[in-house]
């Protein structure tokens, strides 16, 4: 089963589970969802009406945790730990995995120093073990560990839930890309048209040259033929002509 299908099945499972519950009994469901080793998308669970209703109640902290796992990072949790429920080890691991995905959204070369700071990792060996065992083996990222340059080169990273306002930015980016692509296409078409025109001119020029060569060949052939057909005096004729002049 591929990761997308697994994600879809897990999302459907937790959405149905959350939809059937209300209030405090939703807390264990949110903990289970945010610590599940194969679930990395939470926006659909956030949209469940009973989950939304947690806002403003004594259980709102778990709604904030779910939002954190949808859009936040390990650093965000540390900065707001006093306002949030304490995370269990599996949640800590999951949030650090999600942090790597967030970093990979904007940079395809992640320095080890930055990763160690963002993930609270103390040495390179621990960092590389985390990237290999908890990220690459999990299928959420692919890349190359460069020990010489002390960086992780990202080749693929799974996408996270869209943050509020991020959809508009993505649409603008796609719109700009489309405009650039259209301008590039016009430029390519103009160059193709210019190349076709130059090709036709080249063909015409080549034909003119070939025609001139044929004309020169014909002219040379006529001159040669004319020269060969002119009467020439033989030695006998020359002798007779000389005698006639003497007489």
């Amino acid at each position: 089963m591929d990761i997308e299908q697994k994600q879809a099945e897990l999302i459907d499972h937790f959405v149905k589970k959350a939809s059937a519950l209300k209030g405090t009994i939703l807390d264990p469901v949110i903990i289970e969802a945010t610590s599940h080793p194969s679930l990395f998308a939470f926006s659909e669970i956030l949209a469940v009406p009973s989950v939304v209703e947690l806002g403003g109640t004594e259980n709102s902290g778990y709604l904030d945790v779910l939002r954190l796992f949808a859009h936040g990072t390990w650093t965000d949790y540390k900065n707001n730990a006093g306002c949030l429920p304490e995370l269990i080890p599996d949640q800590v691991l999951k949030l650090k995995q999600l942090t790597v995905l967030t970093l990979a959204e904007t940079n395809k070369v992640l320095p080890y120093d930055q990763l160690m700071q963002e993930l609270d990792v103390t040495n390179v060996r621990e960092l590389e073990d985390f990237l290999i065992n908890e990220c690459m083996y999990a299928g959420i990222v692919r890349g190359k560990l460069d020990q010489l340059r002390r960086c992780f080169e990202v080749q693929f990273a799974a996408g996270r839930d869209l943050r509020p306002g991020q959809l508009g930015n993505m649409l603008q980016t796609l719109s700009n890309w489309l405009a650039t692509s259209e301008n590039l296409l016009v430029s390519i078409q103009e160059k193709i048209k210019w190349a076709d025109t130059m090709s036709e001119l080249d063909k015409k020029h080549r034909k003119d040259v070939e025609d001139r060569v044929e004309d020169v060949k014909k002219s040379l052939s006529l001159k040669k033929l004319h020269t060969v057909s002119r009467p020439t005096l033989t030695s006998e004729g020359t002798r007779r002509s000389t005698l006639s002049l003497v007489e």
Side-chain angles (χ1 to χ4, degrees):
M1 182 183 299
D2 59 33
I3 188 170
E4 290 84 3
Q5 184 179 350
K6 181 67 174 178
Q7 286 282 299
E9 292 183 358
L10 285 170
I11 290 169
D12 184 62
H13 166 74
F14 282 109
V15 165
K16 289 178 178 178
K17 197 169 184 177
S19 298
L21 304 173
K22 284 183 178 292
T24 305
I25 53 178
L26 275 170
D27 298 352
V29 176
I30 292 175
I31 293 173
E32 182 186 359
T34 54
S35 60
H36 195 288
S38 299
L39 183 61
F40 296 91
F42 306 93
S43 59
E44 288 88 347
I45 304 172
L46 271 172
V48 174
S50 59
V51 174
V52 175
E53 291 171 1
L54 291 176
T57 69
E58 60 181 356
N59 302 104
S60 62
Y62 286 93
L63 176 60
D64 293 335
V65 165
L66 193 56
R67 287 172 177 159
L68 176 69
F69 276 76
H71 311 125
T73 64
W74 174 242
T75 298
D76 293 329
Y77 173 74
K78 289 190 298 179
N79 292 338
N80 298 278
C83 307
L84 297 169
E86 184 177 357
L87 302 183
I88 64 175
D90 285 344
Q91 286 177 303
V92 172
L93 171 61
K94 172 59 60 65
L95 192 53
K96 289 184 176 183
Q97 290 173 312
L98 293 168
T99 298
V100 173
L101 296 184
T102 295
L103 294 173
E105 286 179 358
T106 53
N107 295 293
K108 297 308 177 188
V109 178
L110 302 176
Y112 278 3
D113 290 340
Q114 179 188 14
L115 287 167
M116 287 191 289
Q117 180 180 353
E118 293 288 341
L119 301 174
D120 275 346
V121 173
T122 57
N123 58 72
V124 171
R125 176 61 182 273
E126 184 182 354
L127 173 64
E128 291 183 336
D129 286 347
F130 175 80
L131 292 173
I132 293 171
N133 298 325
E134 308 299 346
C135 295
M136 286 193 274
Y137 283 173
I140 59 174
V141 294
R142 289 195 299 270
K144 176 184 176 183
L145 301 173
D146 191 331
Q147 294 181 333
L148 183 62
R149 295 170 56 206
R150 288 176 57 87
C151 66
F152 177 50
E153 298 178 2
V154 181
Q155 298 169 346
F156 160 82
R160 293 193 63 180
D161 295 300
L162 292 177
R163 293 181 291 276
Q166 190 177 14
L167 180 59
N169 293 335
M170 289 182 65
L171 290 175
Q172 183 60 50
T173 299
L174 289 173
S175 178
N176 294 339
W177 176 83
L178 180 60
T180 301
S181 298
E182 289 175 345
N183 292 335
L184 181 60
L185 179 60
V186 170
S187 176
I188 292 173
Q189 289 174 336
E190 289 176 349
K191 288 182 178 180
I192 291 174
K193 184 177 179 180
W194 176 83
D196 289 342
T197 300
M198 294 303 296
S199 177
E200 289 299 321
L201 290 174
D202 182 65
K203 289 179 182 178
K204 185 176 182 303
H205 176 69
R206 187 179 304 171
K207 187 176 185 307
D208 290 343
V209 171
E210 290 174 351
D211 290 344
R212 289 178 187 176
V213 170
E214 287 299 318
D215 289 343
V216 170
K217 286 181 178 180
K218 289 179 181 178
S219 177
L220 290 173
S221 296
L222 288 173
K223 285 182 180 180
K224 184 177 180 181
L225 180 63
H226 179 68
T227 301
V228 171
S229 63
R230 287 176 58 187
T232 57
L233 293 173
T234 63
S235 57
E236 180 65 24
T238 302
R239 188 177 67 81
R240 289 179 181 176
S241 296
T242 302
L243 288 174
S244 296
L245 289 174
V246 174
E247 293 175 354

